[in-house]
Amino acid sequence: FFFAPKMSAFVELFGENLLSGSEAVKTADALNGKVVAIYFSAHWCPPCRQFTPKLAEWYKKSLKEKGLEVVFVSRDNDDATFKDYYATMPWTALPFSEKNARETLQKKFNISGIPTLVILDTDGQSITTDGRGAVTKDPTGKDFPWKSGSKADDKKGKDGGKETHGFKKFLGDIKGMFHKK
């Protein structure tokens, strides 16, 4: 009998290859043994453009050496914008051409607004869908990998640390305007 090796959870999520700068890298090699932060973002989103440089600084200063790898999943509208925005980031990215994978990831993690940072453990299981709040409260990674119940998790604001653009948030804001407390 021939038994194929089990495909890594990250290869199942992202496909065989990611980008590292302008080069293709094997997903399994780039993410094996790492906690992975999936970063849903786009250049057209002002909160994203504010958060990206902060995340890049924290990643370079301490989070990468603690074992975090970030995978940028673009919500940009075209490849040229994706490439320009990704050029400002020091981590890996899902190639823009992988439209089906991007859509699958957005559905799997119920992404309704950006910027969103989803943290996965080394086996690809979700630790938190509010990685942005966790990382913002703990940028040096003292409580890394921010599992539920960590100090970073307890310090979230009333919106869970999110400042998102999205239709669901818009509807929630409108609903709040008409409901008396």
Side-chain angles (χ1 to χ4, degrees):
F1 290 98
F2 174 75
F3 293 99
K6 183 178 182 271
M7 185 184 299
S8 97
F10 296 123
V11 172
E12 288 179 31
L13 282 173
F14 302 112
E16 290 290 328
N17 296 301
L18 293 171
L19 292 175
S20 180
S22 60
E23 303 292 319
V25 295
K26 294 285 181 197
T27 301
D29 295 342
L31 305 181
N32 186 36
K34 298 194 177 156
V35 171
V36 174
I38 307 173
Y39 183 41
F40 296 90
S41 183
H43 185 265
W44 54 261
C45 163
C48 298
R49 289 195 316 269
Q50 290 175 343
F51 182 66
T52 298
K54 292 177 191 171
L55 181 60
E57 177 187 338
W58 300 331
Y59 174 81
K60 290 187 283 189
K61 271 188 182 172
S62 61
L63 300 177
K64 182 178 182 176
E65 71 184 32
K66 289 190 181 273
L68 181 73
E69 185 54 54
V70 178
V71 179
F72 170 48
V73 177
S74 178
R75 299 279 303 261
D76 285 305
N77 296 318
D78 59 71
D79 189 52
T81 306
F82 159 77
K83 285 178 180 169
D84 287 347
Y85 189 40
Y86 177 53
T88 69
M89 302 175 191
W91 45 69
T92 59
L94 182 69
F96 189 79
S97 60
E98 296 294 331
K99 183 179 180 188
N100 289 340
R102 286 194 326 249
E103 290 173 356
T104 299
L105 288 164
Q106 289 173 51
K107 286 179 187 160
K108 178 177 178 69
F109 296 106
N110 196 26
I111 304 304
S112 61
I114 55 175
T116 297
L117 195 65
V118 175
I119 310 288
L120 306 177
D121 68 16
T122 56
D123 294 322
Q125 299 300 308
S126 179
I127 292 174
T128 181
T129 56
D130 184 29
R132 181 177 172 217
V135 172
T136 300
K137 299 295 180 194
D138 180 29
T140 62
K142 187 176 60 130
D143 294 322
F144 178 81
W146 310 289
K147 294 194 181 209
S148 189
S150 71
K151 288 180 183 167
D153 194 45
D154 294 338
K155 294 179 189 172
K156 290 182 204 166
K158 66 180 180 181
D159 67 349
K162 291 185 180 180
E163 177 183 337
T164 58
H165 281 47
F167 191 66
K168 286 182 182 176
K169 181 183 182 325
F170 171 74
L171 288 177
D173 292 346
I174 297 296
K175 184 178 173 184
M177 291 170 42
F178 296 101
H179 288 281
K180 294 181 182 177
K181 295 183 179 183

